[in-house]
């Protein structure tokens, strides 16, 4: 038995944490499962064999210039003769309305991809003609080095989207439940005096509590990410190939060179790291408060402010924006943003002044690292220096 | 000596404690500050506020006030019974003249009055800000006219309607919080329980599914302008939806009140058995 | 080994809880006595290093305890007034945890835990959760945890409150045995505990040490100041206004009272053998005798 194991046991032995976690996971699964449309799932799945043909068509200069000439208003009949016979071979097994709708989908995928390729070219041209500012240089570099856009047929949207808001909130809730009493429970149970007078009751207990909370938070984040992956796999299916991020509807025209797979892995990583940071902030508040009630509430407010600033308010006025402004910066660098990463990293957000332009995600990491260090320092101070009232 | 321990006095004492709770005052101050920023600071209003129904009063009361009300209920009402249990006051109260059920009833009554009071103050503050900032209330124009609502109410009628819907929903939330609070001595459980309940309700309300739960959602009452529009069958026309939601919440409220008042029924039964055994 | 406090002071805002206390502890049992709010717990918390003093220092063999840090805590056994515990832990689990915090080797800890549980009479309840323990049982666990690391400095704040007389006597005997090669500081309201085992007594009032002397010297100083008398009800009422009354028993012949006074209180009063209780009453007044 080690102090770390005992501290970890204290956190996970709280029954209510697991009861709340199960209830919230159930509702999460129910809500998520209801969100997938069966018809869109069907078409995406059915058209997977012609993924390469659809992409090839959009990048074919003859087809794309034809679509541009027609100002993107083309019919299935017009485009059908131009496309690969492989597509017809795949679709002909379907009959009646389904057959028609399949062709409509193929047409939409091709036209949509041509529009995106065209818009990207236009954006690059516009940036080249724009003044040579740090922001424009940054954006030009990103747009020119972007991987080839592909047709959005891979289900990555659904896999990535849940990390935008719901999943970080669910993870944060369980973390707050588990860690809000780590120090304050010692005060409430009047153990603080005994702990502080034991040989290993100060530094060792402090570090054991921190490590146990970090492990608990990381496990929570991973469990919920796993749950999310299982639900997504069941309801949306596994994405059959990796695609560049800007191929997805969520990140349309965003200055990012990442692939969907890279973002998804980084989201999981961000979720774990953000969870640890959040747990340390909660520990800091717990070391100040005399009750888990108060530390839960204040930590909840801390997280909620980050969420509101980065999500709810932004959704109203800055939808799809990739420029971090002073108005959005507090939300962009919040713990919530680190746990989500969809907004700052997926959108390729950038913070620019007259002299420099840096990816916002770097600012998020730096600010959260500072928060992390300050939280540890303050927790150590309050735990060891707090006057024992009991 | 004249005893002043009648029910009304008990309720007054409890209500005063809730109203003067530092969290009530802090959150009300935050709400006032936020509301004044909306009414008086144009740049804040333009950058941060989404106008609902072309009316700032409706925007504040239907969109932002519920958030503050939920926070107040969460932090002020959650400890009402749990704190007493934790501090061991319950047994002490049981030996006093008024008894446990009366004491519980006074707390429930005070909490409900508290719910009504905070909604009233919230509306008054928004009204005062409207008057002071000379923002038109447009009481005679039809609420949400451009969206063609199923229930045509003037703005003035809609203010009253909103008030009662929000009061009703706040009271339901108060009763639910009291119920959880009466079942535990850990203050965190009612707080986290209600936070989770509100969070799930909000998620259902935002995503619009499951449709059945979306219709019976507390946010339909907290954001009352939704009730002016028709729902899909079986909830049907707006008026039927309204009746269904109110009926369901009334039934739940009555059940919750009963369970809260008799939270220690099992304990009483055990004590009675013991008494009977000792007689034998 | 010498534990000293130098001008130890603790202020809470305007209120001075401990005022310029200078004490010197060497091997033996020290009884810390004082009425409610005298500053006993505050003084003890500063001695064990969990409450920073406003002014003054605590040293062990001329080294500040804050500098000794872990080395000091390794020598320390502390039982607070409000003993803390985890409701979901069993007695054994709890002691194992504290042993871990005190840096005991697991094997050594196991032996020690068994011995201590036996000593405090909790061997049979060692697998029970602390949440199911009575107040007295919790205090016994508290005593056991304080003794786990075989401390050279043992500080006990109200250790016998809630124990029955048999347990108290048993506990006193344990302390007497332990005091041979260590410092034991015992803060209590129960004068008889101090009287029977403490070599030296510290009387604390309003944060100030009013007496720090041996038990014998204190009793000696009270000779000729303690009186027994049998009085009527009316006489008792009169005496209450003029003197400090200790015990008063109603008997057929009237009230048999114990009076602490520098002068002979009544004609029929006879000198009595002083006890530490009388010393307490003499210094803190009869009004506090419900705390004794």
């Amino acid at each position: 038995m080690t102090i770390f194991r005992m501290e970890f046991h204290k956190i996970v032995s709280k029954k209510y944490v697991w009861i709340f976690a199960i209830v919230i996971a159930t509702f999460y699964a129910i809500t998520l499962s209801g969100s997938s449309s069966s018809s869109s799932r069907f078409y995406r799945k059915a058209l997977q064999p012609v993924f390469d043909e659809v992409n090839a068509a959009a990048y074919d200069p003859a087809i794309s210039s034809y679509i541009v000439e027609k100002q993107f208003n083309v019919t299935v009949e017009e485009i059908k003769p131009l496309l690969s016979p492989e597509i017809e071979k795949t679709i002909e097994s379907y009959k009646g309305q389904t057959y028609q709708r399949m062709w409509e989908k193929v047409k939409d995928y091709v036209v949509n991809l041509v529009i995106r390729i065209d818009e990207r070219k236009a954006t690059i041209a516009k940036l080249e003609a724009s003044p040579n500012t740090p922001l424009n240089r940054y954006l030009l570099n990103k747009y020119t080095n972007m991987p080839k856009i592909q047709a959005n047929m891979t289900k990555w949207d659904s896999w990535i989207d849940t990390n935008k808001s719901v999943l970080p909130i669910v993870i944060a809730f369980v973390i707050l439940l588990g860690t809000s009493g780590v120090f304050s429970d010692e005060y409430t149970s009047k153990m603080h005096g005994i702990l502080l007078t034991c040989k290993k009751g100060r530094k060792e207990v402090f570090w054991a509590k921190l490590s146990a909370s970090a492990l608990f938070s990381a496990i929570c984040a991973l469990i919920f990410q796993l749950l999310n992956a299982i639900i997504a796999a069941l309801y949306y299916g596994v994405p059959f190939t990796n695609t560049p991020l800007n191929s997805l509807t969520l990140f349309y025209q965003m200055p990012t060179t990442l692939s969907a797979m890279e973002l998804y892995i980084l989201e999981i990583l961000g979720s774990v790291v953000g969870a640890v940071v959040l747990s340390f902030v909660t520990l800091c508040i717990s070391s100040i408060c005399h009750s888990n009630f108060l530390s839960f509430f204040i930590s909840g407010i801390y997280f909620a402010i980050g969420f509101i600033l980065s999500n709810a308010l932004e959704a109203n006025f800055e939808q799809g924006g990739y420029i971090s402004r002073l108005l959005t910066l507090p939300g962009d660098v919040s713990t919530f943003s680190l746990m989500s990463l969809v907004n700052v990293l997926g959108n390729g957000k950038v913070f620019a002044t007259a002299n420099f332009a840096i990816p916002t995600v770097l600012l998020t990491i730096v600010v959260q690292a500072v928060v992390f260090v300050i939280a540890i320092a303050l927790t150590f101070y309050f735990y060891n220096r707090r006057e024992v009232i009991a | 000596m004249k005893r002043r321990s009648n029910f009304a006095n008990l309720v007054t004492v409890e209500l005063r404690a809730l109203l003067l709770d530092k969290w009530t005052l802090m959150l009300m101050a935050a709400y006032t500050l936020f509301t004044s920023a909306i009414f008086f600071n144009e740049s804040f209003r333009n950058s941060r506020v989404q106008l609902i129904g072309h009316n700032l009063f409706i925007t504040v009361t239907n969109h932002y006030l519920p958030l503050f009300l939920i926070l107040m209920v969460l932090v002020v009402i959650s400890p009402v019974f749990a704190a007493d249990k934790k501090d061991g006051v319950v047994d002490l109260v049981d030996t006093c003249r008024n008894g446990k059920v009366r004491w519980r009833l006074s707390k429930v009554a005070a909490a409900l009055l508290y719910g009504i009071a905070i909604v009233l103050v919230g509306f008054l503050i928004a009204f005062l800000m409207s008057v002071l900032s000379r923002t038109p209330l447009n009481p005679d124009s039809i609420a949400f006219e451009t969206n063609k609502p199923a229930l045509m109410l003037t703005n003035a009628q809609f203010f009253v309607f909103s008030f009662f819907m929000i009061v009703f929903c706040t009271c339901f939330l108060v009763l639910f919080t009291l119920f959880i609070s009466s079942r535990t001595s850990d203050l965190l459980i009612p707080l986290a329980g209600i936070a989770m309940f509100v969070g799930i309700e909000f998620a259902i309300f935002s995503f619009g599914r499951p449709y059945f739960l979306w219709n019976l959602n507390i946010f339909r009452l907290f954001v009352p302008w939704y009730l002016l529009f028709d729902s899909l069958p079986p909830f049907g026309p707006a008026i039927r939806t309204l009746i269904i939601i109110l009926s369901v919440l009334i039934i739940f409220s009555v059940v919750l009140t009963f369970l809260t008042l008799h939270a220690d029924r099992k304990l009483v039964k055990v004590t009675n058995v013991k008494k009977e055994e000792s007689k034998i | 080994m010498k534990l000293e406090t130098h001008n130890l002071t603790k202020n809470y805002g305007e209120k001075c809880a401990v005022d310029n206390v200078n004490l010197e502890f060497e091997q033996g049992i020290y009884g810390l006595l004082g009425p409610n709010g005298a500053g006993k717990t505050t003084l003890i918390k500063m001695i064990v290093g969990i409450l920073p003093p406003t002014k003054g220092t605590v040293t062990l063999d001329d080294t500040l305890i804050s500098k000794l840090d872990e080395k000091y805590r390794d020598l320390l056994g502390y039982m607070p007034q409000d003993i803390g515990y985890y409701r979901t832990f069993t007695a054994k689990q709890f002691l194992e945890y504290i042993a871990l915090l005190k840096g005991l080797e697991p094997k050594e800890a196991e032996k020690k835990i068994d011995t201590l549980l036996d000593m405090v009479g909790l061997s049979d309840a060692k697998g029970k959760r602390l949440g199911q323990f009575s107040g007295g049982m919790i205090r016994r666990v508290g005593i056991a945890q304080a003794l786990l690391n075989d401390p050279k400095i043992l500080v006990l704040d109200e250790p016998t409150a809630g124990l029955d007389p048999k347990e108290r006597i048993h506990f006193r005997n344990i302390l007497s045995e332990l005091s041979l090669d260590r410092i034991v500081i015992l803060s209590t309201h129960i004068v008889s505990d101090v009287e029977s085992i403490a070599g030296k007594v510290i009387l604390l009032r309003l944060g100030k040490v009013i007496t720090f002397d041996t038990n014998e010297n204190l009793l000696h100083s009270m000779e000729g100041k303690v009186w027994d008398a049998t009085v009527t009800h009316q006489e008792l009422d009169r005496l209450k206004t003029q003197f400090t009354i200790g015990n008063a028993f109603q008997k057929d012949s009237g009230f048999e009272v114990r009076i602490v006074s520098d002068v002979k209180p009544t004609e029929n009063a006879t000198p009595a053998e002083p006890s530490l209780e009388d010393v307490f009453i003499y210094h803190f007044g009869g009004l506090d005798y419900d705390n004794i």
Side-chain angles (χ1 to χ4, degrees):
Chain A
M1 187 171 63
T2 60
I3 300 176
F4 168 76
R5 270 183 60 184
M6 290 302 287
E7 293 302 335
F8 189 69
H9 171 77
K10 277 191 218 168
I11 297 174
V12 297
S13 63
K14 288 173 191 156
K15 274 186 210 153
Y16 63 80
V17 174
W18 301 112
I19 294 170
F20 278 117
I22 290 166
V23 172
I24 207 160
T26 311
F27 270 92
Y28 179 72
I30 292 169
T31 315
L32 215 62
S33 64
S35 67
S36 71
S37 136
S38 57
S39 67
S40 73
R41 266 188 289 158
F42 167 77
Y43 290 118
R44 276 191 180 189
K45 200 177 172 187
L47 290 171
Q48 273 179 27
V50 295
F51 178 71
D52 290 335
E53 283 73 15
V54 169
N55 282 312
Y59 279 98
D60 184 323
I63 300 173
S64 60
S65 54
Y66 175 76
I67 294 170
V68 174
E69 259 173 46
K70 300 278 281 179
Q71 291 184 321
F72 310 105
N73 287 322
V74 285
T75 61
V76 172
E77 283 64 37
E78 285 170 342
I79 205 173
K80 210 171 176 179
L82 304 173
L83 299 179
S84 162
E86 283 299 312
I87 299 176
E88 174 62 28
K89 260 189 206 172
T90 310
I91 297 178
E92 68 185 1
S93 58
Y94 299 94
K95 305 276 175 250
Q97 269 198 341
T98 313
Y99 174 83
Q100 281 302 323
R101 280 194 194 142
M102 292 273 254
W103 264 113
E104 280 292 331
K105 282 275 167 193
V106 169
K107 183 214 68 177
D108 287 347
Y109 280 131
V110 174
V111 172
N112 202 295
L113 191 51
V114 172
I115 293 172
R116 288 181 176 211
I117 296 165
D118 197 57
E119 279 191 359
R120 184 172 145 186
K121 276 183 199 161
T123 310
I124 292 172
K126 194 178 155 194
L127 283 167
E128 279 169 343
S130 303
N132 186 19
T133 62
L135 177 64
N136 286 341
R137 272 201 305 276
Y138 173 88
L139 292 174
L140 187 62
N141 178 38
K142 286 281 173 189
Y143 282 112
T144 353
N145 293 317
M146 263 180 198
K148 267 173 88 174
I149 306 173
Q150 294 176 2
N152 187 17
M153 298 164 71
T154 57
K155 306 178 178 91
W156 273 113
D157 275 308
S158 314
W159 277 69
I160 288 170
D161 192 31
T162 43
N163 267 300
K164 195 171 190 314
S165 57
V166 184
L167 198 55
I169 292 173
V170 168
I171 295 170
F173 184 78
V174 180
I175 289 171
L176 294 186
L177 271 177
T179 57
S180 58
V182 167
F183 285 102
S184 56
D185 282 353
E186 302 292 3
Y187 309 146
T188 316
S189 67
K190 294 166 184 170
M191 273 298 291
H192 191 203
I194 293 176
L195 292 180
L196 290 186
T197 52
C198 288
K199 187 185 173 189
K200 295 184 174 180
R202 292 189 182 213
K203 272 186 209 156
E204 284 84 350
V205 164
F206 168 77
W207 287 114
K209 280 185 186 294
L210 249 62
S211 332
S213 305
L215 180 67
F216 170 77
S217 314
I219 289 173
C220 271
L222 287 172
I223 287 176
F224 277 99
Q225 286 290 355
L226 183 69
L227 176 77
N228 181 53
I230 292 170
I231 297 168
L234 282 174
Y235 288 98
Y236 310 119
V238 180
F240 62 91
T241 183
N242 189 13
T243 45
L245 203 54
N246 41 45
S247 310
L248 311 183
T249 318
L250 270 177
F251 309 103
Y252 180 53
Q253 287 290 321
M254 292 298 158
T256 172
T257 51
L258 287 174
S259 74
M261 175 78 90
E262 282 168 342
L263 178 66
Y264 183 65
I265 292 168
L266 287 171
E267 271 181 6
I268 295 174
L269 193 70
S271 175
V272 172
V273 176
V276 173
V277 175
L278 178 66
S279 72
F280 281 20
V281 172
T282 313
L283 290 187
C284 177
I285 294 166
S286 175
S287 71
I288 300 167
C289 296
H290 249 288
S291 77
N292 54 3
F293 173 83
L294 210 55
S295 75
F296 178 85
F297 184 72
I298 297 171
S299 313
I301 297 272
Y302 164 81
F303 183 78
I305 287 173
F307 168 74
I308 292 168
L309 289 176
S310 106
N311 215 303
L313 290 179
E314 186 154 338
N316 290 340
F317 308 101
E318 302 277 339
Q319 186 87 56
Y322 52 78
I323 307 286
S324 282
R325 302 169 204 284
L326 281 176
L327 195 74
T328 66
L329 209 55
D332 291 336
V333 298
S334 66
T335 308
F336 168 82
S337 279
L338 182 62
M339 284 178 80
S340 162
L341 282 184
V342 174
N343 190 21
V344 281
L345 187 63
N347 285 346
K349 271 198 154 181
V350 54
F351 180 70
T353 64
N355 302 318
F356 61 86
I358 47 166
T360 310
V361 71
L362 289 181
L363 289 178
T364 312
I365 292 169
V366 170
V367 169
Q368 289 307 307
V370 172
V371 168
F372 180 83
V373 173
I374 291 175
I376 293 178
L378 286 178
T379 311
F380 186 78
Y381 176 81
F382 284 114
Y383 171 63
N384 284 293
R385 295 288 298 165
R386 190 180 182 89
E387 294 190 351
V388 181
I389 294 165
Chain B
M1 189 174 68
K2 194 182 174 187
R3 286 171 194 263
R4 287 176 48 83
S5 53
N6 60 54
F7 185 71
N9 280 347
L10 264 177
V11 175
T12 314
V13 170
E14 297 289 352
L15 182 61
R16 193 184 301 148
L18 294 175
L19 288 173
L20 297 179
D21 185 289
K22 62 177 184 294
W23 285 103
T24 307
L25 301 175
M26 273 163 60
L27 287 166
M28 216 32 117
Y31 168 74
T32 311
L33 204 69
F34 183 75
T35 314
S36 61
I38 290 176
F39 278 98
F40 292 100
N41 188 333
E42 203 178 332
S43 70
F44 178 80
R45 183 165 64 228
N46 293 337
S47 65
R48 294 291 193 201
V49 179
Q50 207 174 18
L51 200 65
I52 297 167
H54 307 291
N55 188 304
L56 261 188
F57 183 81
I58 295 178
T59 304
V60 170
T61 52
N62 275 234
H63 211 188
Y64 300 107
L65 176 63
L67 173 73
F68 288 92
L69 294 175
I70 290 168
L71 285 176
M72 277 186 248
V73 172
L74 269 177
V75 74
V76 181
I77 304 294
S78 287
V80 164
F81 287 116
D84 286 340
K85 236 179 188 179
K86 188 179 164 221
D87 299 337
V89 182
V90 181
D91 292 335
L92 191 71
V93 169
D94 204 23
T95 59
C96 294
R97 184 181 172 227
N98 274 303
K100 214 183 277 183
V101 174
R102 225 166 168 216
W103 169 71
R104 276 180 193 280
L105 194 63
S106 71
K107 279 192 178 269
V108 171
L112 287 174
L113 287 174
Y114 172 79
I116 297 167
I118 54 174
V119 180
L120 189 67
V121 173
F123 268 72
L124 281 177
I125 287 170
F127 180 76
L128 213 66
M129 294 292 171
S130 285
V131 173
L132 289 176
S133 65
R134 294 181 186 172
T135 310
L137 283 160
N138 300 328
D140 298 325
S141 52
I142 300 293
F144 300 94
E145 194 173 12
T146 48
N147 304 84
K148 295 181 180 137
L151 292 179
M152 297 285 249
L153 300 177
T154 63
N155 272 343
Q157 287 169 328
F158 181 68
F159 298 157
V160 178
F161 175 75
S162 293
F163 174 77
F164 281 108
M165 291 304 112
I166 295 174
V167 160
F168 191 78
C169 196
T170 308
C171 287
F172 169 75
L173 206 60
V174 163
L175 287 172
F176 195 14
T177 314
L178 288 176
F179 164 69
I180 304 181
S181 184
S182 68
R183 303 274 153 167
T184 178
S185 58
D186 190 335
L187 304 189
L188 186 62
I189 291 174
L191 177 71
I194 294 301
M196 188 177 72
F197 170 72
V198 171
I200 289 171
E201 286 284 275
F202 186 70
I204 292 168
F205 183 70
S206 305
F207 292 123
R209 57 180 178 265
Y211 187 67
F212 169 72
L213 291 179
W214 182 83
N215 269 294
L216 294 175
N217 198 289
I218 57 162
F219 282 92
R220 299 264 282 155
L221 297 183
F222 265 141
V223 189
W225 66 267
Y226 272 84
L227 292 166
L228 299 182
F229 299 90
D230 283 337
S231 291
L232 293 173
F235 291 91
I239 196 78
R240 191 204 282 177
T241 315
L242 187 63
I243 292 167
I244 293 174
I245 297 177
L246 291 179
S247 313
V248 170
L249 284 191
I250 285 171
I251 293 167
F252 270 109
S253 300
V254 171
V255 172
L256 287 173
T257 311
F258 179 80
L259 292 174
T260 306
L261 291 178
H262 299 88
D264 50 357
R265 211 172 166 77
K266 272 184 190 166
L267 187 73
V268 174
K269 272 185 184 168
V270 173
T271 322
N272 287 343
V273 171
K274 276 186 181 169
K275 271 180 195 167
E276 278 161 24
E277 276 174 2
S278 63
K279 276 178 196 170
I280 294 162
Chain C
M1 196 168 52
K2 194 161 75 178
L3 182 69
E4 289 170 285
T5 68
H6 310 275
N7 304 321
L8 207 57
T9 304
K10 182 71 191 177
N11 295 331
Y12 290 109
E14 298 273 293
K15 197 190 165 221
C16 184
V18 171
D19 192 2
N20 251 347
V21 169
N22 291 289
L23 294 168
E24 202 179 298
F25 303 97
E26 281 176 296
Q27 156 188 334
I29 300 182
Y30 295 82
L32 184 57
L33 277 176
N36 284 332
K40 300 189 296 292
T41 300
T42 307
L43 177 62
I44 275 183
K45 279 179 182 172
M46 287 193 283
I47 289 173
V48 298
I50 57 172
L51 188 67
T54 310
K55 204 181 86 187
T57 52
V58 181
T59 58
L60 179 69
D61 293 332
D62 299 324
T63 312
L64 286 173
I65 59 161
S66 53
K67 274 197 176 166
L68 288 168
D69 195 38
E70 201 174 294
K71 283 179 196 156
Y72 178 65
R73 295 201 303 276
D74 199 20
L75 302 170
L76 193 66
Y78 170 55
M79 183 195 170
Q81 186 177 16
D82 279 335
I83 172 95
Y85 61 95
Y86 303 117
R87 298 180 64 82
T88 54
F89 281 37
T90 63
K92 191 156 191 267
Q93 270 178 333
F94 180 72
L95 291 177
E96 277 171 354
Y97 177 60
I98 300 292
L100 202 64
L101 297 180
K102 291 190 179 229
L104 266 69
E105 289 298 318
K107 275 189 182 171
E108 181 196 354
E110 194 153 334
K111 265 189 194 170
K112 191 80 187 166
I113 289 166
D114 285 341
T115 316
L116 286 170
L117 282 171
D118 197 39
M119 189 181 91
V120 295
L122 288 174
S123 291
D124 294 340
K126 66 180 176 187
K128 254 174 95 176
R129 282 172 190 264
L130 295 179
Q132 298 169 325
F133 275 30
S134 68
M137 286 163 95
I138 289 293
R139 293 214 81 75
R140 283 190 270 162
V141 174
I143 292 162
Q145 67 79 26
L147 296 171
L148 263 174
N149 56 333
D150 205 9
K152 295 289 167 213
I153 302 162
L154 185 59
V155 183
L156 305 159
D157 198 355
E158 304 285 354
T160 54
L163 299 185
D164 63 38
K166 195 180 136 201
E167 284 167 345
R168 261 166 58 193
I169 292 164
H170 179 55
F171 176 66
R172 279 184 214 156
N173 294 339
I174 295 169
L175 278 190
S176 294
E177 281 170 34
L178 285 171
S179 68
L180 289 174
D181 57 347
R182 68 195 84 207
I183 298 167
V184 180
I185 303 170
L186 183 71
S187 160
T188 182
H189 278 118
I190 303 162
V191 180
S192 57
D193 282 350
V194 176
E195 190 166 34
S196 44
I197 53 168
K200 277 190 164 183
V201 178
I202 304 154
L203 293 181
L204 207 63
R205 185 169 60 189
L206 297 171
K208 283 188 174 150
V209 174
I210 52 170
T211 304
F212 180 23
D213 212 336
T214 60
N215 217 336
E216 293 79 27
N217 286 349
L218 283 175
L219 294 178
H220 185 70
S221 69
M222 287 300 290
E223 271 170 19
K225 291 175 182 170
V226 184
W227 311 87
D228 283 335
T230 305
V231 295
T232 61
H233 195 285
Q234 288 77 11
E235 275 177 311
L236 179 61
D237 285 343
R238 183 184 60 81
L239 286 171
K240 271 182 187 170
T241 59
Q242 292 173 344
F243 303 100
T244 308
I245 307 292
N247 296 320
F249 295 109
Q250 194 173 11
K251 294 212 164 172
D252 293 341
S253 51
F255 285 91
E256 216 166 74
V257 291
R258 193 170 176 92
I259 305 158
V260 182
S261 164
D262 289 327
V263 293
K264 195 177 181 182
T266 58
E267 277 303 307
N268 64 347
T270 55
E273 187 76 15
S275 68
L276 201 56
E277 198 170 299
D278 300 316
V279 178
F280 191 95
I281 291 167
Y282 181 75
H283 287 285
F284 303 123
L287 288 174
D288 278 316
Y289 58 71
D290 52 332
N291 285 327
I292 299 164

